[in-house]
Amino acid sequence: RLQIGLLPPVPGEAPGFRYTHRYLPAEGIGGDIYSILPMAEGGLALMIADVSGHGVTAALISSMVKTSFESQVRQGGSPLAWTQGMNRDLARNTLAEQFATAFLARIDPARNEMQYVTAGHDAPFRLPGGAQGGPRRPQVLSGHGFMLGLEEDLPFEEKLSPFEAGDRLVLFTDGLVEVEREDRQMLGEEGLLRLCAELPADEDEAADLIVAQAKAFNDPAPFVDDVTLVILDRIG
């Protein structure tokens, strides 16, 4: 209950946006976390992260990741500065074998764009017009980068993407796509892209459909890693 309380309430709204999530920890509690913060000047700051390992230790570090992210956002700057600050926090306060992958972004509605950093995390999908539902062509955001917490002074790269009214963003952790079936096939990025190519307009229905279809693809293999799926729609 405490860990779920750290996640944004769903279904959720911020000025100009709607969002929802599906959170399925592997061991009751887990190392996935995400945060969405409305910016005082308009737009959103958002982050999704996946901490190495499972259980209590991963859950404790995930709360540290969330706290660090929100602290960095309050200090101002861009996703690159947030990432650098979070990386220093983790490198100084965790063991050598502990790390996190993350995606951080700032959406600016006035410019119809999104600044972002991918730190060793699966890149989200942007669906132009996806908030209206129906057939769409998902676009994988570029970038990969280093994971957080390995060394204090790792280089990260900030990128830019359009994000216009009516667009949808699908964020996820690798537990959703890296289930190995008995025939050793995995859904993978390509399989998830196919699932996202035609989704309903309602973000809750879209999230339920993605999870149900991923489970059907994996059957009979269950999810064995923490799974988090976030769908963010820009409305207006």
Side-chain angles (χ1 to χ4, degrees):
R1 289 197 299 269
L2 176 61
Q3 187 171 45
I4 290 174
L6 295 175
L7 300 173
V10 294
E13 291 192 13
F17 299 89
R18 289 195 305 260
Y19 59 87
T20 193
H21 73 247
R22 297 296 177 268
Y23 175 71
L24 306 170
E27 298 181 6
I29 56 175
D32 288 358
I33 195 72
Y34 87 99
S35 181
I36 292 178
L37 298 176
M39 307 289 288
E41 62 273 27
L44 289 181
L46 64 96
M47 178 274 301
I48 186 170
D50 181 358
V51 173
S52 58
H54 307 102
V56 174
T57 300
L60 288 171
I61 296 175
S62 73
S63 67
M64 183 191 306
V65 169
K66 180 178 187 288
T67 300
S68 178
F69 168 72
E70 295 180 353
S71 174
Q72 296 299 325
V73 172
R74 285 193 294 270
Q75 293 177 43
S78 69
L80 179 58
W82 306 342
T83 306
Q84 291 167 335
M86 289 174 64
N87 180 62
R88 286 192 295 271
D89 284 349
L90 284 180
R92 292 171 181 173
N93 294 291
T94 59
L95 300 177
E97 66 272 16
Q98 294 167 335
F99 59 86
T101 68
F103 173 86
L104 301 90
R106 178 175 183 171
I107 301 176
D108 185 346
R111 297 185 177 183
N112 292 316
E113 66 184 22
M114 175 171 58
Q115 296 170 276
Y116 68 91
V117 174
T118 306
H121 199 84
D122 289 283
F125 303 161
R126 171 181 170 249
L127 281 67
Q132 282 81 46
R136 302 290 167 182
R137 183 172 295 177
Q139 301 171 356
V140 183
L141 297 182
S142 62
H144 190 69
F146 290 101
M147 297 174 286
L148 301 177
L150 299 177
E151 297 177 7
E152 286 191 32
D153 297 315
L154 292 174
F156 297 95
E157 182 179 7
E158 188 172 88
K159 293 183 175 291
L160 197 64
S161 169
F163 200 72
E164 302 177 352
D167 285 359
R168 168 171 284 175
L169 194 65
V170 177
L171 307 101
F172 57 96
T173 56
D174 60 9
L176 181 65
V177 296
E178 293 184 355
V179 176
E180 187 173 84
R181 305 189 311 190
E182 292 178 345
D183 61 2
R184 298 194 174 181
Q185 296 296 310
M186 292 191 295
L187 180 64
E189 180 183 272
E190 290 299 320
L192 186 57
L193 281 170
R194 291 192 295 271
L195 299 188
C196 292
E198 186 164 1
L199 295 171
D202 181 86
E203 64 275 9
D204 272 309
E205 292 179 8
D208 286 339
L209 182 62
I210 291 172
V211 172
Q213 291 184 332
K215 286 181 175 179
F217 177 88
N218 297 336
D219 188 62
F223 291 131
V224 293
D225 194 3
D226 302 327
V227 173
T228 300
L229 169 70
V230 180
I231 295 183
L232 173 77
D233 290 343
R234 184 178 169 196
I235 57 177

